[in-house]
Amino acid sequence: MDHNLSGLSTREFEHVSQALAQAILGPGVSVFGDGRDGGREATFEGRVPYPSELDAWDGYGVVQAKFRQRTDQQPQDAVSWLKGQVKEELEAWLSPASKRERLPEYLIFTTNVILTPVPGSGGIAQIEQFVSTYAACLGLKGWAVWSYDQLCRYLDRYDSIRRTYAGAITSGDVLAQLRDTVSAGHKSRSDALTDATRASQYRREARLSLVPEERVDAVLDWADKSSSQVVTVPVGTLAVLVAPMGAGKSEEAENWWREGLREAAGDPDAVIPEWVDGGKAVPDLLDAITRAGGEPASGLGSIVTDDLDRLSPEQVAQLLYGDCKSFGVTPDHGRCIDDQ
């Protein structure tokens, strides 16, 4: 089945790559969170059952994710873009000024771009040949590229990972069928509130994808009990949450969003809040809200956007000072809340 990998944000794609690496290479894979990762989303050490049990890799390896927001370009454009991304990483490992302390013996690049499989001349072959030119300098023993089609096959195989990110990667034809089903009965407000609550739970669990499954409920319960009082954002205002990497901005933004959901549950006239990842909010926030299931024509309520630190300063400025204000954010039209 084809999956809409471009429906993910950059951070979500990294999480999918990490989860697949753990599933394919084994539980000994170490993953890294937000921040400067030294050219790695995940690492492994020792023997791993890849590419097969018989030809298993054995040594120190690195997994690096390369996500492209737009994937509708010509095949050769995708190859050129990925070559540039890969070259940047390889040169960084070779640079004497680099702070990367250890050279990998094995490399896996994951990407959402489509690479043609033509032997010798296709996109996959071109990237593998390009990496081979650095193999001797780096001391590489093996490398692989998990591009769009390969990742889709892995997601078909690993159901739990696919389900975790189903809301983002479900293909367009399946979504169309779901919309047809919903439109036949017009989803009630009660059903919309239920779906919104589930979406919040899915997001929170996805952020804990690296926590052992048996610990997830306990961690969520601890977070609920230890969370501070939700900051009040007056109607008609724009709030930006700024904090260091790993400080819990996304969870605090989730608290803001859930506060809006509680308001909507208690007031039949309140608009159900919308959650839009930063990577999907550009270049058109209104379109992103509509695709997320919102109904701007009925009036905007709270809008929470996460992952702004993944955008360029120009994109952030457009989103905060252009798109939000273009909605006429006033006390009569709701508020726009952003997490950075």
Side-chain angles (χ1 to χ4, degrees):
M1 179 179 178
D2 289 339
H3 301 286
N4 179 30
L5 300 185
S6 295
L8 299 165
S9 65
T10 301
R11 179 185 290 175
E12 288 172 333
F13 183 74
E14 291 174 356
H15 289 175
V16 168
S17 298
Q18 291 168 335
L20 287 174
Q22 288 187 318
I24 296 164
L25 304 177
V29 170
S30 299
V31 301
F32 299 87
D34 294 334
R36 296 186 177 182
D37 54 26
R40 56 197 180 166
E41 258 65 66
T43 63
F44 58 89
E45 181 113 41
R47 184 181 174 86
V48 295
Y50 183 85
S52 69
E53 287 283 1
L54 292 178
D55 300 315
W57 286 353
D58 192 352
Y60 174 66
V62 169
V63 178
Q64 180 65 294
K66 295 300 175 184
F67 180 79
R68 194 177 193 187
Q69 198 67 49
R70 290 190 59 191
T71 58
D72 56 352
Q73 287 80 11
Q74 295 299 313
Q76 193 54 47
D77 291 335
V79 173
S80 297
W81 173 83
L82 187 56
K83 272 187 179 180
Q85 296 290 307
V86 170
K87 180 179 181 179
E88 184 177 324
E89 296 295 339
L90 298 177
E91 293 287 351
W93 269 305
L94 291 174
S95 172
S98 173
K99 294 183 179 180
R100 300 183 181 185
E101 298 178 353
R102 188 176 182 186
L103 294 178
E105 297 174 277
Y106 299 95
L107 265 177
I108 295 175
F109 288 102
T110 70
T111 181
N112 64 320
V113 301
I114 297 173
L115 298 177
T116 57
V118 180
S121 61
I124 295 174
Q126 289 186 56
I127 297 299
E128 290 182 345
Q129 290 167 6
F130 180 72
V131 176
S132 72
T133 63
Y134 285 82
C137 295
L138 283 169
L140 284 177
K141 298 178 180 178
W143 57 91
V145 179
W146 295 351
S147 58
Y148 172 80
D149 290 290
Q150 183 66 69
L151 291 176
C152 285
R153 301 297 75 78
Y154 285 149
L155 287 169
D156 289 341
R157 183 188 306 175
Y158 297 104
D159 181 71
S160 62
I161 300 173
R162 185 179 71 250
R163 288 179 178 275
T164 297
Y165 298 94
I169 67 175
T170 302
S171 60
D173 57 336
V174 176
L175 287 175
Q177 294 176 17
L178 290 173
R179 285 194 295 268
D180 289 343
T181 301
V182 171
S183 63
H186 294 293
K187 184 188 295 186
S188 68
R189 181 179 175 85
S190 175
D191 287 341
L193 286 168
T194 298
D195 287 348
T197 302
R198 288 174 177 168
S200 176
Q201 186 69 11
Y202 290 153
R203 285 194 297 269
R204 299 184 77 195
E205 290 179 359
R207 287 195 288 273
L208 297 174
S209 60
L210 305 181
V211 174
E213 187 174 350
E214 65 274 12
R215 293 286 302 152
V216 170
D217 288 341
V219 172
L220 289 175
D221 183 60
W222 173 84
D224 287 336
K225 291 179 179 178
S226 61
S227 62
S228 57
Q229 183 177 0
V230 177
V231 175
T232 300
V233 181
V235 171
T237 64
L238 170 68
V240 181
L241 178 60
V242 181
M245 288 286 187
K249 299 186 300 296
S250 292
E251 189 63 27
E252 182 62 22
E254 193 77 55
N255 289 337
W256 285 355
W257 185 87
R258 288 160 72 92
E259 181 68 18
L261 186 63
R262 284 190 287 270
E263 180 183 339
D267 181 357
D269 294 324
V271 180
I272 297 174
E274 295 294 337
W275 179 284
V276 180
D277 286 324
K280 300 174 185 177
V282 293
D284 190 335
L285 177 59
L286 182 59
D287 178 64
I289 294 170
T290 303
R291 285 187 281 111
E295 297 180 314
S298 66
L300 288 174
S302 297
I303 306 166
V304 178
T305 66
D306 187 24
D307 246 1
L308 296 191
D309 52 334
R310 297 285 180 167
L311 305 180
S312 69
E314 293 77 16
Q315 289 174 318
V316 172
Q318 173 59 37
L319 180 63
L320 298 185
Y321 305 111
D323 292 353
C324 286
K325 291 186 178 180
S326 71
F327 292 149
V329 180
T330 70
D332 294 327
H333 292 81
R335 58 184 181 268
C336 189
I337 306 172
D338 294 74
D339 165 44
Q340 182 172 356

